[in-house]
């Protein structure tokens, strides 16, 4: 449990990012979130990597709205170096950030998750030879597509929570190991109808932005 909170040792509240440290534990300086300094193949925006403790990360920002504002900046901020398959500072081809589009679910703005997920599914994948926006390390980019196209994604695979996004198909059936089936039905889904207006689980109204 203590190791799971080690990310807090590299969160610098003065800049609002996970930041590199020197051997004497002082912060690396100067700091520019757009520059690859202490990060591998990415920058500070793409390496906001705390999938197992999203609530703790939001608490560092002080409020849901403050974190939502940070996400808005992430997906809109342009820079001179734009990686292929990027939306603002979000880089889909860099796997440590692939949970970021789903984090709007945690701050009450699920429609933004639905819009972004649909955009990524339709714009950053194709059937061409270069149809995956990055190196498909261990099948991660492909797995993101398969799960997200059905309408959900595990932000932290070790947890039993699947954040709801925007399904591509009107019907998808998952055959479970216990012999049961889990059916996802998206009534009237289309290229234009990408937002979830209401949901039911086993026939009952469902208000949450995640499944267990």
């Amino acid at each position: 449990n203590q190791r799971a909170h080690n990310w807090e040792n590299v969160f610098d509240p003065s800049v609002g990012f996970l930041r590199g440290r020197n051997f004497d534990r002082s912060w690396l300086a100067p700091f520019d979130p757009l520059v690859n300094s202490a990060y591998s193949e990415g920058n500070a925006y793409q390496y906001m990597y705390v999938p197992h403790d999203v609530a703790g990360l939001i608490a560092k920002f002080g409020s849901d709205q403050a974190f939502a504002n940070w996400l808005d900046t992430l997906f809109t901020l342009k820079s001179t170096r734009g990686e292929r398959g990027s939306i603002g500072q979000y880089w889909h081809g860099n796997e440590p950030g692939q949970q970021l589009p789903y984090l709007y679910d945690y701050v009450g703005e699920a429609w933004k998750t639905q819009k972004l997920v649909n955009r990524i599914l339709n714009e950053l994948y194709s059937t061409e030879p270069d149809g995956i926006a990055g190196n498909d390390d261990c099948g991660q980019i492909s797995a993101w597509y398969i799960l997200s196209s059905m309408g959900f994604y595990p932000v932290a695979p070790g947890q039993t929570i699947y954040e709801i996004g925007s399904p591509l198909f009107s019907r998808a059936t998952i055959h479970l190991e216990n012999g049961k089936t889990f059916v996802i039905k998206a009534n009237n889904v289309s290229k234009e109808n990408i937002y979830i207006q209401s949901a039911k689980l086993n026939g009952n109204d469902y208000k949450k932005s995640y499944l267990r």
Side-chain angles (χ1 to χ4, degrees), residues 108-181:
E109 298 187 359
W111 65 91
K112 291 182 180 178
T113 283
Q114 294 164 30
K115 181 178 181 179
L116 278 165
V117 167
N118 183 268
R119 178 179 176 183
I120 294 167
L121 288 169
N122 284 289
E123 294 184 7
L124 302 186
Y125 291 85
S126 77
T127 56
E128 300 301 318
D130 62 347
I132 296 179
N135 182 11
D136 197 13
D137 295 335
C138 298
Q140 167 65 18
I141 299 179
S142 298
W144 191 99
Y145 183 92
I146 292 170
L147 288 160
S148 294
S149 68
M150 290 190 293
F152 50 81
Y153 184 76
V155 164
Q159 298 174 355
T160 59
I161 297 172
Y162 291 77
E163 293 298 327
I164 296 173
S166 178
L168 282 184
F169 309 112
S170 58
R171 183 184 180 96
T173 301
I174 302 171
H175 300 282
L176 305 176
E177 292 180 349
N178 61 9
K180 296 182 179 181
T181 58

Side-chain angles (χ1 to χ4, degrees), residues 4-35:
H5 288 279
N6 276 345
W7 68 270
E8 298 181 38
N9 296 325
V10 291
F11 184 88
D12 182 358
S14 71
V15 297
F17 287 95
L18 303 179
R19 181 177 178 180
R21 287 186 182 271
N22 295 300
F23 285 121
D24 64 0
R25 295 185 59 79
S26 61
W27 296 115
L28 281 176
F31 176 76
D32 182 346
L34 298 178
V35 174

Side-chain angles (χ1 to χ4, degrees), residues 3-211:
R3 286 186 177 183
H5 288 279
N6 276 345
W7 68 270
E8 298 181 38
N9 296 325
V10 291
F11 184 88
D12 182 358
S14 71
V15 297
F17 287 95
L18 303 179
R19 181 177 178 180
R21 287 186 182 271
N22 295 300
F23 285 121
D24 64 0
R25 295 185 59 79
S26 61
W27 296 115
L28 281 176
F31 176 76
D32 182 346
L34 298 178
V35 174
N36 182 342
S37 55
Y39 316 96
S40 178
E41 299 179 6
N43 63 32
Y45 280 98
Q46 295 144 17
Y47 269 85
M48 190 64 85
Y49 187 68
V50 193
H52 61 290
D53 188 15
V54 179
L57 179 61
I58 294 170
K60 292 290 187 183
F61 280 79
S63 69
D64 287 356
Q65 189 59 59
F67 188 68
N69 292 343
W70 184 88
L71 289 171
D72 289 344
T73 301
L74 164 72
F75 289 106
T76 57
L77 180 62
K78 304 293 184 182
S79 62
T80 54
R81 180 181 176 181
E83 301 289 350
R84 176 178 172 268
S86 61
I87 300 174
Q89 289 305 305
Y90 173 74
W91 181 15
H92 193 65
N94 200 23
E95 285 89 343
Q98 287 190 343
Q99 80 286 357
L100 292 170
Y102 283 90
L103 298 192
Y104 281 112
D105 278 0
Y106 289 77
V107 292
E109 298 187 359
W111 65 91
K112 291 182 180 178
T113 283
Q114 294 164 30
K115 181 178 181 179
L116 278 165
V117 167
N118 183 268
R119 178 179 176 183
I120 294 167
L121 288 169
N122 284 289
E123 294 184 7
L124 302 186
Y125 291 85
S126 77
T127 56
E128 300 301 318
D130 62 347
I132 296 179
N135 182 11
D136 197 13
D137 295 335
C138 298
Q140 167 65 18
I141 299 179
S142 298
W144 191 99
Y145 183 92
I146 292 170
L147 288 160
S148 294
S149 68
M150 290 190 293
F152 50 81
Y153 184 76
V155 164
Q159 298 174 355
T160 59
I161 297 172
Y162 291 77
E163 293 298 327
I164 296 173
S166 178
L168 282 184
F169 309 112
S170 58
R171 183 184 180 96
T173 301
I174 302 171
H175 300 282
L176 305 176
E177 292 180 349
N178 61 9
K180 296 182 179 181
T181 58
F182 185 75
V183 180
I184 304 103
K185 293 173 62 179
N187 298 322
N188 302 316
V189 68
S190 68
K191 289 184 177 180
E192 295 75 27
N193 296 336
I194 64 173
Y195 298 105
I196 298 173
Q197 304 299 320
S198 63
K200 291 181 181 294
L201 179 63
N202 295 327
N204 300 315
D205 290 340
Y206 195 76
K207 303 293 185 181
K208 298 176 181 178
S209 61
Y210 63 88
L211 301 167

